């Protein structure tokens, strides 16, 4: 990745950007070839993980179309029906019903929305904060670096879930608060890697060349450095998404997540727990859904880190 | 050498100071994040005059910086205010519940050491075998499932169906089994994965090859040379996990109605009892900071190459 003139550095930077953004972005045929070879080299667990994540994303987006019932519709005569394959079960309620006679499968599908929304947006927020602070620290150095490094150390000295619980308890419960708080407690990992990358790139020729022809600082950071900073963050983002989904589920379980009637997997486990001894499926399936989602993310992250072996 | 060490200590203590300052500011602000704190205190039908009186009584009419200074002075003297609901000193209530939380965290840490390390060593000494694969899958699931759900599943099986273990409270040592397992599954997975990968890496080092070449039995190569070096990162992560176990106790304590600080914090949250929540956050935060500090020092003892490099 060495480039001697600004024009070529620009090109190589944008190809890196294309790599980071994915197949949708513009790129030359050789880039595409190289990329497809690399894709094939990824271990199987990456693909399994990706399939799980995509499956849950599709379910979340089309939840209302896919769900067999209205997730809010209560049919008290159908309360606590067991899953279809058990005695007393009924295929119109494949996974059974809760104590209000709501279809569990439909609620699970709609509940996927909270998990995916929190997973995706809190990672984006945490990533954005981390990239901005990490680049600032790495590129400008000096007192900015000292303050930001100090902030990172402080943030790392506190258990994130605990912090999230405390802040949400004070702020109040909502989807926005969940995303903001989880984003705010997770920026450090991105900032660390970004800072390190920026530091090591700062002295490279393509950056010096860009500086020499008078490229403005903002443009330099955005067009020249950012594309090289993004790829290593992908692994962190994938694994972090799993962590965020787990955190959201825990907060929802404690009653600090999205409020009823909107279903979230964590709060469904809490509701299911109350009727567990007579209707175990209400507690088991939502938790299994969380586990599946997290396993998907972790498999993907694992696959990404093992790419080069 | 001595000088480097004391330099390092000074830097660590400086760091400790900043962290404590940040924790105190956060904990102070917590009560203001909820909007006007007086609204939490005043009865719903309070007249505007009453509201102002309460505001003045608690010093909430002062500028934030003055309030913070007062809070800090009081906190340094062990006064974290009174619980809104129970009208008892909040710190006392937390300290009273702290032993239960520490007991559970230490038990989970013990489980992590006793199960996680041998599992990792076992898998790491036979990489890519069937046994290694099974351990990999199990530990992978272990770090991926939500702890509250695992706890509920354990209750469903062992307390509800088989009725062999109690599901809530802390009356006997048997009450500690299910919450202990629930809390430690994640760290067992984490530690055994770490030990496995570190051990595999260590076994490829030159000094291991030398030890083998001089005819040392494999068992001694493992125990005398490889394992010792594997333990350096392991001890660090174990120490950090103890902090994590304290933090994770909120969820697990709520599942098993374990009467510790996590459970107390949830009570505080449900009652909008912010001084109580604040006291729990401060105590757990302090514990976490102190544990991190201790781990740092142990780390430098174990591995003299490590210093706070800048």
């Amino acid at each position: 990745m060495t480039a001697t003139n600004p024009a070529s550095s620009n090109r190589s930077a944008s190809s890196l950007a294309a790599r980071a953004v994915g197949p949708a972005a513009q790129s030359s045929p050789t880039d595409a070839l190289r990329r497809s070879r690399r894709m094939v080299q990824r271990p199987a667990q990456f693909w399994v993980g990706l399939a799980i994540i995509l499956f849950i994303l599709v379910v979340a987006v089309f939840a209302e179309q896919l769900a067999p019932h209205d997730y809010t519709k209560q049919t008290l005569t159908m309360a606590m029906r067991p899953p279809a394959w058990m005695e007393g079960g009924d295929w119109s309620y494949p996974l059974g019903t809760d104590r209000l006679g709501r279809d569990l499968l439909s609620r699970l599908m709609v509940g996927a929305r909270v998990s995916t929304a929190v997973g995706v947006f809190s990672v984006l927020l945490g990533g954005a904060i981390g990239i901005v602070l990490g680049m600032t620290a790495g590129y400008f150095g000096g007192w900015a670096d000292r303050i930001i490094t100090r902030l990172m150390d402080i943030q790392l000295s506190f258990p994130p879930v605990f912090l999230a619980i405390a802040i949400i308890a004070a702020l109040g419960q909502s989807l926005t608060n969940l995303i903001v708080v989880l984003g705010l407690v997770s920026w450090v990992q991105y900032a660390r890697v970004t800072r390190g990358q920026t530091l090591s790139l700062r002295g490279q020729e393509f950056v010096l060349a860009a500086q020499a022809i008078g490229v403005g600082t903002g443009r330099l950071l955005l067009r020249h450095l950012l594309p090289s900073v993004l790829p290593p963050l992908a692994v962190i983002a994938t694994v972090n998404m799993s962590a965020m989904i787990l955190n959201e589920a825990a907060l929802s379980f404690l009653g600090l997540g999205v409020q009823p009637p909107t279903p979230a997997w964590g709060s469904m486990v809490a509701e299911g727990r109350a009727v567990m001894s007579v209707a175990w499926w209400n507690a088991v399936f939502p938790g299994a859904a969380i586990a599946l989602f997290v396993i998907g993310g972790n498999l993907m992250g694992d696959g990404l880190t093992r790419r080069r072996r | 050498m001595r000088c480097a060490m004391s330099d390092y200590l000074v830097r660590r203590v400086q760091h400790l100071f900043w962290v404590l300052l940040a924790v105190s500011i956060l904990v102070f602000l917590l009560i203001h994040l909820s909007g006007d704190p007086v609204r939490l205190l005043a009865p719903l039908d309070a007249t505007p005059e009453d509201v102002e009186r309460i505001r003045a009584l608690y010093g909430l009419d002062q500028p934030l910086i003055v309030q913070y200074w007062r809070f800090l002075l009081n906190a340094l003297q062990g006064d974290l205010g009174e619980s809104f609901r129970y009208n008892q000193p909040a710190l006392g209530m937390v300290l009273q519940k702290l032993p239960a939380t520490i007991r559970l965290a230490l038990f989970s840490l013990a489980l992590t050491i006793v199960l996680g390390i041998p599992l990792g060593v076992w898998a790491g000494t036979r990489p890519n075998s069937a046994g290694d694969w099974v351990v990999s899958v199990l530990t992978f699931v272990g770090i991926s499932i939500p702890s509250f759900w695992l706890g509920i599943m354990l209750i469903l099986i062992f307390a509800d169906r088989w009725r062999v273990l109690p599901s809530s409270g802390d009356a006997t040592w048997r009450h500690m089994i299910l919450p202990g397992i629930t809390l430690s599954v994640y760290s067992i997975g984490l530690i055994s994965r770490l030990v496995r990968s570190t051990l595999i890496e260590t076994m490829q080092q030159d000094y291991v090859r030398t030890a083998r070449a001089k005819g040392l039995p494999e068992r001694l190569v493992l125990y005398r040379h490889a394992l010792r070096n594997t333990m350096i990162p392991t001890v660090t992560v174990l120490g950090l996990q103890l902090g994590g176990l304290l933090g994770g106790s909120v969820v697990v304590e709520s599942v098993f109605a374990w009467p510790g600080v996590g459970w107390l914090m949830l009570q505080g949250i449900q009652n909008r009892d912010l001084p109580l929540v604040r006291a729990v956050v401060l105590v757990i935060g302090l514990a976490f900071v102190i544990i991190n500090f201790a781990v740092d020092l142990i780390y430098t003892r174990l591995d003299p190459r490590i210093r706070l490099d800048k």
Side-chain angles (χ1 to χ4, degrees), chain B:
Chain B
M1 186 65 202
R2 239 195 114 66
C3 186
M5 190 66 206
S6 63
D7 237 34
Y8 173 78
L9 258 179
V10 167
R11 271 198 304 249
R12 287 314 308 174
V13 171
Q14 256 178 15
H15 171 67
L16 198 64
F17 167 78
W18 285 109
V19 171
L20 290 179
L21 188 71
V23 170
S24 73
I25 292 175
L26 176 95
V27 162
F28 166 72
L29 286 179
L30 214 52
I31 224 160
H32 292 273
L33 279 178
S34 59
D36 187 356
V38 178
R39 291 220 333 265
L40 295 171
L41 283 162
L44 284 174
D45 55 349
T47 61
E49 293 80 50
D50 287 339
V51 168
E52 286 320 302
R53 252 207 328 274
I54 294 171
R55 194 184 300 280
L57 182 69
Y58 282 89
L60 292 166
D61 52 346
Q62 304 282 324
L64 267 189
I65 186 82
V66 176
Q67 288 188 42
Y68 172 68
W69 184 242
R70 252 195 223 159
F71 164 76
L72 197 64
L73 286 183
N74 286 336
L76 286 174
Q77 296 166 36
D79 176 9
L80 292 176
E82 288 197 343
S83 150
F84 284 166
R85 189 176 169 93
Y86 301 100
N87 294 323
Q88 283 176 23
L91 185 63
M93 291 177 70
V94 177
L95 292 181
Q96 199 200 337
K97 299 287 182 199
L98 194 59
T101 298
I102 292 178
R103 195 147 42 99
L104 186 59
L106 287 180
F107 178 60
S108 303
L109 187 70
L111 281 180
T112 305
I113 295 170
V114 171
L115 295 173
I117 295 178
L119 215 56
V121 172
W122 191 79
T125 44
R126 41 182 76 62
N128 301 322
S129 67
D132 177 35
W133 190 81
V134 171
V135 171
S136 272
V137 171
L138 283 179
T139 53
F140 194 84
V141 172
I143 60 172
S144 300
I145 53 175
S147 63
F148 60 89
W149 184 63
L150 175 68
I152 289 174
M153 294 300 102
L154 291 177
I155 291 179
L156 186 65
I157 297 168
F158 292 99
D160 221 71
R161 290 286 136 91
W162 295 350
R163 299 183 185 278
V164 287
L165 286 167
S167 66
S168 64
D170 73 334
T172 66
W173 64 270
R174 292 175 66 237
H175 287 79
M176 198 149 65
I177 297 176
L178 291 184
I181 293 174
T182 306
L183 194 53
S184 58
V185 158
Y186 177 84
S187 29
I188 292 174
L190 197 72
I191 285 293
S192 78
R193 289 172 80 81
L194 177 78
V195 168
R196 174 188 177 272
S197 61
T198 317
L199 188 62
I200 291 175
E201 210 171 284
T202 312
M203 289 306 247
Q204 287 157 2
Q205 298 286 321
D206 285 343
Y207 62 82
V208 171
R209 191 163 0 119
T210 309
R212 280 179 176 155
K214 74 179 182 186
L216 208 61
E218 191 64 23
R219 199 170 47 85
L220 286 182
V221 174
L222 181 66
Y223 286 106
R224 197 180 290 166
H225 295 274
L227 264 189
R228 282 194 186 183
N229 285 293
T230 309
M231 283 307 118
I232 297 175
T234 309
V235 168
T236 314
V237 175
L238 271 176
L240 296 177
Q241 274 307 302
L242 181 59
L245 292 173
L246 283 177
S249 62
V250 184
V251 174
V252 174
E253 285 181 9
S254 93
V255 171
F256 292 95
W258 183 266
V261 290
W263 180 80
L264 191 67
M265 182 174 171
L266 276 178
Q267 302 278 305
I269 291 170
Q270 275 154 16
N271 297 326
R272 305 288 292 153
D273 192 346
L274 284 180
L276 191 56
V277 174
R278 180 153 101 164
V280 176
V281 174
L282 194 66
V283 169
I284 293 282
L286 269 179
F288 198 72
V289 169
I290 292 168
I291 291 169
N292 278 356
F293 185 68
V295 169
D296 268 341
L297 294 185
I298 295 171
Y299 197 20
T300 28
R301 273 255 167 246
L302 286 178
D303 187 351
R305 290 170 305 182
I306 311 290
R307 290 291 180 269
L308 197 69
D309 49 321
K310 274 281 152 71

Side-chain angles (χ1 to χ4, degrees), chain A residues 121-307:
Chain A
F121 290 111
S122 64
V123 164
L124 287 180
L125 178 66
I129 299 172
I131 289 171
V132 169
L133 291 182
M135 283 184 101
T136 310
Y139 188 77
F140 296 104
W143 59 267
D145 186 29
R146 274 203 297 280
I147 291 178
I148 292 169
T149 323
R150 178 73 70 195
L151 273 178
M152 296 200 284
D153 282 346
I154 291 173
Q155 173 84 67
L156 282 176
S157 311
F158 214 79
V161 196
F162 202 72
L163 194 60
I165 291 174
I167 298 178
I168 298 247
L171 276 181
Q173 303 97 319
S174 75
L175 184 62
T176 323
N177 284 355
L178 269 183
I179 291 171
V180 170
V181 168
L182 289 178
L184 281 178
V185 299
S186 65
W187 61 278
V188 180
Q189 287 164 299
Y190 304 100
R192 278 182 130 180
V193 175
T194 308
R195 176 178 173 272
Q197 283 281 106
T198 313
L199 262 178
S200 71
L201 290 171
R202 193 173 63 177
Q204 286 203 1
E205 281 162 339
F206 75 95
V207 176
L208 298 178
Q211 283 169 339
I213 60 161
V215 173
T217 307
R219 192 182 158 80
L220 181 82
L221 288 175
L222 271 179
R223 297 293 302 272
H224 298 257
L225 282 176
L226 185 62
S228 320
V229 162
L230 286 179
L233 293 184
V235 182
I236 302 179
T238 326
V239 177
N240 204 30
M241 189 185 72
S242 289
M244 291 301 116
I245 289 163
L246 270 180
N247 287 343
E248 183 275 326
L251 286 165
S252 295
F253 174 75
L254 295 176
L256 294 171
V258 179
Q259 295 302 295
T262 310
W265 293 342
S267 52
M268 287 173 73
V269 173
E271 287 165 27
R273 201 208 159 165
V275 294
M276 186 169 67
S277 47
V278 282
W280 55 265
W281 49 94
N282 276 303
V284 172
F285 293 131
I290 302 165
L292 183 71
F293 204 168
V294 175
I295 287 174
N298 283 344
L299 279 175
M300 252 179 91
D302 218 37
L304 281 172
T305 42
R306 280 193 204 169
R307 176 172 70 192

